[in-house]
Amino acid sequence: MELLVDPLFRIPFVTGLCLSLLLPLLGAYLRLRDEWLAALGFVHLGGAGGVIGSVVPWPPLATALGAAALGVGLRSTRRRAGNDGYAVMILAGWAVMILGASLDHTARVMGQALIDGQLYFTGNAHVAAVATFALCLGALLPALSRRLLRARLMPGFDAVNGSSGRLDTLLFTALTAFGVTLAAMSVGVMAAFALTFIPPWVAFRVAISWRGALALATLAGAVAFTASFVVALLVDLPFGPTLVAVLVLLAALRAVRRPPG
Amino acid sequence: MGRRLLTISNLIAGYREPMVGPVSLTVRAGERLGITGPNGCGKSTLLRVLAGEARAFAGRIAYAPGVHAVCQAQDGLRTGEIPLNVMDCLHLTSDSPLPLPERLRGTERQRLDALSGGQRQLLAVWMALSAPRQLLLLDEPTNNMDPAGREDLIRALTDLPAHRGALIVSHEQALLEAVCQRIENIGG
């Protein structure tokens, strides 16, 4: 039990807790836009960047974020939202990540860390990056929220007055890319995706208002993270798969409410 | 009748190729202009040009300076599993939305995906009506609506304030005759 209060684990805990609060928020808007596959696309692209950074060698976190920025640039060339581009991103990112990891020992360790989600290796650079991301999300999301919701429900509302919504899409895609890439480099590829996908999936079924859905998704993310952190540390399990398993169990909460229609 | 809000001159519109026009019309403040015509004549295409969803091959569309429009889509509010309730939806277009019509009373906290098709359609129109914009563009607003919802809509449109104007596309002649001062038949 002393492990839980060991100063060594404070930075990993704070980093992961912040991500577990922020990623479900992004995931709710991704789900609203039918673009939830974007999370899986960007985690693979970021993972590929991290592995390439280990091979070259460049700082892995910075290289992963650079790869995410490249993905944002590619996404901005497509006018319509859709999952096809993200599917290609997943496949390309996975191939580069696995092939890159076969090239040398450091890259193999990085690849393994991305699979296992070794949160305990996060350091000050991760905390600083997550804090910066939290500030950006806090500043931009409240302003974007209404327009993103309108774009889903009333696509003509802003377009009829000459606003294409492309800037909103670009900003939101950039937030998604940087958020899930940071998460992939901290909690692992699949855990980052699960944090983005499952809490909003539960909230979309259960909540009776948009604010309620956001609150429920963040709460679910934070509870799942904290439980996983404690279990993985006490039982000595790899953190990433533990978090994914807890989130999958949490998905059973969807049964609380009957499907609409 | 008030100032011109929208002027369309010799507009030819369509998608890959022209399918409607040339059409010329104006909408003034305090005016409700109906557009009718047979199915497939391109009535809705006129509004889709304004929303950037269809192409103008020729002609001119001009809003008066400072005029903003609000557009209600023909297919109503897209649904699926979505945790927005009725008040959430109304607050997307206005900070102080209109009071709910009779047909939607009591649904304030109801999720969008739990409403009937007619209620969703009425809500879509109500979101447009609530928006603080001078020009209202409605495309087949009575689709899926029951008689009670239709009555609510007719009351709201006939009570439209004098500084607002409406362009209403509908195949339902009775609706247009009930709410519009002028009706243009295109493609007929």
Side-chain angles (χ1 to χ4, degrees), chain B residues 82-148:
Chain B
I82 186 165
L84 263 81
N85 62 36
V86 167
M87 292 314 292
D88 285 337
C89 291
L90 286 171
H91 279 103
L92 292 181
T93 59
S94 171
D95 292 330
S96 45
L98 296 173
L100 283 179
E102 198 66 44
R103 186 69 182 87
L104 290 176
R105 295 250 165 90
T107 63
E108 288 85 346
R109 302 288 158 212
Q110 210 161 315
R111 276 171 58 129
L112 187 55
D113 51 20
L115 298 179
S116 70
Q119 286 175 314
R120 278 202 303 271
Q121 180 71 8
L122 185 56
L123 177 60
V125 177
W126 224 252
M127 288 166 71
L129 279 164
S130 290
R133 294 184 175 180
Q134 300 95 324
L135 181 61
L136 199 58
L137 307 170
L138 303 180
D139 190 2
E140 301 289 0
T142 52
N143 271 1
N144 299 317
M145 253 183 222
D146 60 17

Side-chain angles (χ1 to χ4, degrees), chain A residues 15 55 93 166:
Chain A
T15 308
V55 173
R166 293 189 85 165

